[in-house]
């Protein structure tokens, strides 16, 4: 059974070998060798081969004759084949000979096609590389011409768009390696340009600010042209309505109010087009640097650096020069630098996005405002020239208007101008103090003589004086006041003009201007002019005539104050009856000066009386009187008569008061002369001479040296002396002692102390005379009577004291 299976398997393998491709026979043969009967298989294989060989031999034998025939025919064809071969060789040789040129041409064509392909490939590669090379060349040109921002843009485009497409080339690698270095170079160069720019604007900020302020001045002149014409018209109307001239001392010099300060008046200069402040500066370095740093991703670094450097420059700009206060040019340069700085910052603020912001600029402005105000307060305090202060005020106003035009808040500057206004007022007061003193020192204190109508009108044009009676008098004639009245009045107007000039362009209302002028004028009157008048009155060499003229002058000046009120109202356009309007309360200055002059007259008169009394030379032991007044007293009375003749021009009751004061002082001085301690003894003869002198004084009082006294009013100045002398000359002690204390007694004005003192001096005289006449009964009785009266007087004094 097993042998049958093996035989069947071998049969199958043999069929597979016969029918299978020799390339796939391997597995079949392996199955033979895997089995155990390969020997038997080999035997069967041999048998199968033999069978096939017998079949091949049979087939060959069957086809042999045909094969022989084919060979025979083939041999026959061989000759033809040889001939054909020869012909083919000849044909081939001829063909090769004929095609050699074609082959060479084809080879050349092949090389040409190869070159064309290479050229096309090269063109393609160059087409790809040329934009990169051109862009790199453009980059180099931009770097050479310092167009750094376009160079940076080119570099970015080169790096992002061009180089990646040709990155496998070596030159692209070199370019890529060079790009960071180029960026660093661009950043450094742009920063260097920025530093140059910062240095340039630091040096030229003065010019920038000057141009900006000129622009502001031109704009302000255009805006205020109409209002200025109206103001000029009102000013002329004010002068005309006030009826006041501006000519000083008859020399035709221009008043201070019409003298231009000479600064910043562009209309006085040739008008020319002023370029814009921003046009003076090339801001491109800032823009380039900002864009470059923005592209490089370092914008924050750039902003920090720019702001830090500008803060440093701001501190330098805000530091004033030590001698800035000496000239207006110093202030102008200081303001120009500040304006130039903030014009640049304002332009940067509006032309860049975020390099500086409003908070940063406002912070710098707050710093600048505080520093500027502090510097102005310090330096302006050194100024003593009102013209310089006025020019400084105009400069500050222009400075404020310029910066306000750029959007900066300048209210604090105008507040500070109000402080400078007070300082300006103080400087004006000092200046006018000198002016008033010179006027008072140079005055002759005599009525102004007028020889012609023209001269009269000129003086009346300076001072509002109207006197119909005086106008009727023929020329030459005299005005009642001296020259210092129109001069002082003109200077009061000049002071008002000076105050008004400072208030211009301060954005103040008419009421505020009016209030300022009134306050300053009140100060001028109550302090400056008052001190000058007091100084003039208190001078040592001022006589009674000068004092009388000062009283007359101050009276006329006081009467003219309502004209000053109208004058101020006209130039400020504020009616004087406006509610809460400031008034010229300082007109009392003239009253005070007049009262001082009156007191000085009284004092001067008393001093003159004292000087005459020092010439008194009484013989207090004279046995009898001379029968007439003493020479010194006659001279004194003559002096008083001539003096009071001048007093008739005094206003009010000044003459009466002066006369009464002089008589009272004379009476008191005579009584003191009689009672002074140096006079130890007084005889009846001396007392009679003294009585003659008192009678002379009474005759003077009765003569009416000054009109206006009623009855014997002036005699009352000597009533004390008269009653005392009557008591002693009439020896009416009984009446005195009996009536003392009664309201209607005869010797009401005799003080018991005074009577006792004089009686003691007479008793001493009687005692001395009694040494030689002690045995005369009359003398003894008189002595006893004196002693008795002395005792009674002492008792009377003690009784009233208790």
């Amino acid at each position: 059974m097993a042998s049958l299976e093996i035989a069947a398997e071998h049969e199958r393998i043999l069929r597979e070998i016969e029918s299978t491709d020799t390339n796939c026979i391997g597995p079949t043969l392996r199955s033979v060798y895997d089995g155990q009967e390969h020997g038997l298989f080999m035997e069967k294989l041999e048998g199968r081969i033999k069978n096939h060989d017998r079949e091949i031999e049979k087939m060959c034998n069957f086809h042999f004759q045909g094969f022989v025939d084919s060979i025979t025919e083939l041999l026959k064809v061989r000759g033809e084949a040889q001939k054909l071969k020869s012909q083919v060789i000849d044909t081939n040789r001829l063909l090769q000979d004929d095609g050699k040129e074609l082959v060479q041409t084809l080879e050349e064509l092949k090389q040409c096609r190869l070159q064309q392909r290479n050229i096309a490939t090269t063109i393609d590669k160059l087409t790809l590389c040329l934009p990169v090379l051109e862009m790199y060349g453009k980059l180099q040109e931009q770097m050479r011409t310092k167009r750094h921002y376009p160079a940076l843009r080119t570099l970015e485009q080169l790096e992002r768009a061009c180089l990646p497409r040709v990155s496998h080339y070596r030159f692209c690698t070199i370019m890529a390696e060079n790009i960071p270095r180029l960026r660093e170079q661009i950043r450094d160069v742009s920063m260097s340009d920025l530093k140059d720019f910062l240095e340039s604007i630091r040096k030229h900020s003065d010019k920038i600010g000057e141009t900006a302020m000129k622009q502001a001045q031109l704009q302000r002149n255009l805006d205020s042209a109409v209002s200025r014409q109206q103001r000029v018209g009102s000013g002329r109307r004010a002068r005309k309505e006030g009826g006041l001239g501006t000519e000083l001392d008859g020399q035709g010099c221009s008043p201070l109010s019409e003298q231009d300060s000479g600064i910043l008046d562009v209309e006085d200069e040739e008008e020319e087009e002023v370029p814009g402040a921003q046009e003076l500066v090339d801001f491109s370095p800032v823009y380039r640097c900002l864009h470059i740093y923005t592209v490089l991703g370092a914008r924050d670094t750039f902003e920090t650096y720019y702001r830090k450097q500008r803060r440093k420059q701001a501190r330098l700009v805000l530091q004033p020069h030590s001698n800035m206060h000496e000239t207006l040019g110093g202030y102008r340069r200081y303001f120009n630098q500040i304006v130039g700085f903030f014009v640049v910052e304002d332009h940067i603020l509006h032309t860049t996005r975020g390099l500086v912001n409003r908070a940063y600029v406002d912070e710098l402005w707050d710093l600048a405002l505080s520093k500027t105000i502090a510097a102005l307060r310090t330096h302006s305090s050194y100024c003593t020239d009102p013209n310089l202060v006025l020019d400084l005020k105009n400069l500050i106003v222009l400075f404020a208007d310029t910066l306000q035009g750029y959007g900066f808040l300048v209210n604090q500057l105008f507040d500070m101008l109000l402080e400078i206004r007070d300082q300006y007022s103080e400087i004006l007061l000092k200046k006018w103090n000198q002016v008033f003193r010179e006027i008072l020192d140079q005055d002759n204190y005599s009525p102004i003589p007028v020889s012609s109508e023209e001269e009269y009108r000129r003086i009346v044009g300076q001072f509002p004086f109207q006197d119909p009676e005086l106008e009727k008098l023929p020329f030459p004639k005299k005005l009642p006041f001296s020259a210092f009245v129109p001069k002082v009045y003109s200077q009061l107007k000049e002071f008002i003009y000076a105050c008004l000039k400072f208030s211009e362009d301060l954005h103040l209302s008419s009421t505020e201007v009016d209030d300022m002028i009134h306050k300053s004028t009140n100060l001028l009157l109550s302090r400056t002019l008052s001190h000058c008048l007091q100084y003039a009155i208190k001078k040592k060499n001022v006589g009674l005539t000068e004092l009388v003229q000062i009283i007359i002058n101050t009276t006329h000046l006081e009467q003219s104050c309502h004209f000053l009120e109208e004058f101020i109202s006209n130039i400020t356009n504020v009616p004087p009856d406006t509610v809460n309007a400031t008034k010229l309360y300082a007109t009392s200055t003239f009253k005070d000066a007049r009262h001082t002059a009156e007191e000085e007259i009284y004092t001067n008169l008393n001093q003159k009386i004292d000087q005459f009394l020092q010439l008194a030379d009484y013989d207090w032991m004279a046995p009898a009187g001379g029968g007439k007044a003493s020479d010194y007293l006659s001279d004194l009375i003559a002096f008083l008569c001539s003096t009071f003749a001048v007093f008739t021009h005094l206003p009010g009751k000044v003459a009466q008061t002066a006369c009464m004061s002089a008589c009272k002082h004379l009476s008191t001085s005579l009584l003191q002369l009689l009672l002074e301690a140096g006079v130890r003894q007084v005889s009846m003869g001396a007392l009679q001479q003294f009585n003659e002198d008192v009678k002379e004084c009474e005759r003077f009082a009765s003569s009416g040296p000054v009109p206006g006294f009623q009855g014997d009013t002036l005699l009352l100045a000597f009533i004390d002396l008269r009653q005392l002398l009557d008591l002693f000359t009439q020896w009416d002690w009984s009446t005195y002692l009996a009536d003392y204390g009664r309201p209607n007694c005869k010797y009401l004005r005799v003080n018991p102390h005074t009577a006792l003192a004089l009686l003691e001096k007479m008793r001493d005289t009687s005692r001395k005379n009694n040494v030689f006449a002690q045995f005369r009964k009359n003398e003894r009785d008189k002595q006893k009577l004196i002693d008795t009266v002395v005792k009674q007087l002492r008792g009377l004094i003690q009784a009233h004291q208790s």
Side-chain angles (χ1 to χ4, degrees), residues 663 695-706 711-716 718:
C663 291
K695 287 180 179 179
E696 183 68 20
C697 293
E698 290 174 336
R699 282 192 292 272
F700 166 74
S702 301
S703 67
V706 173
D712 296 334
T713 304
L714 197 56
L715 280 173
L716 294 177
F718 301 97

Side-chain angles (χ1 to χ4, degrees), residues 142-149 181-196 285 288-289 292-293:
Q142 289 170 341
M143 292 290 291
R144 187 180 64 80
T145 56
K146 296 183 178 181
R147 298 170 59 211
H148 300 111
Y149 179 68
R181 184 180 63 80
L182 290 174
R183 279 204 179 96
E184 188 71 22
Q185 181 180 352
I186 291 173
R187 188 178 67 182
D188 293 343
V189 171
S190 63
M191 181 56 71
S192 176
D193 291 343
L194 176 66
K195 291 178 180 178
D196 294 341
R288 287 197 301 266
C289 200
I292 287 170
Y293 271 76

Side-chain angles (χ1 to χ4, degrees), residues 421 499-500 503 511-521:
R421 179 191 66 185
C499 293
L500 178 66
S503 65
T511 305
E512 290 174 321
V513 173
D514 183 79
D515 181 68
M516 181 200 77
I517 292 178
H518 272 92
K519 288 181 178 179
S520 299
T521 307

Side-chain angles (χ1 to χ4, degrees), residues 240-259:
K240 183 175 180 180
E241 291 175 356
L244 310 173
T246 55
E247 186 178 358
L248 302 179
D249 302 328
Q251 298 174 358
C253 45
S254 315
L256 176 64
S257 59
E258 294 182 354
Q259 293 174 354

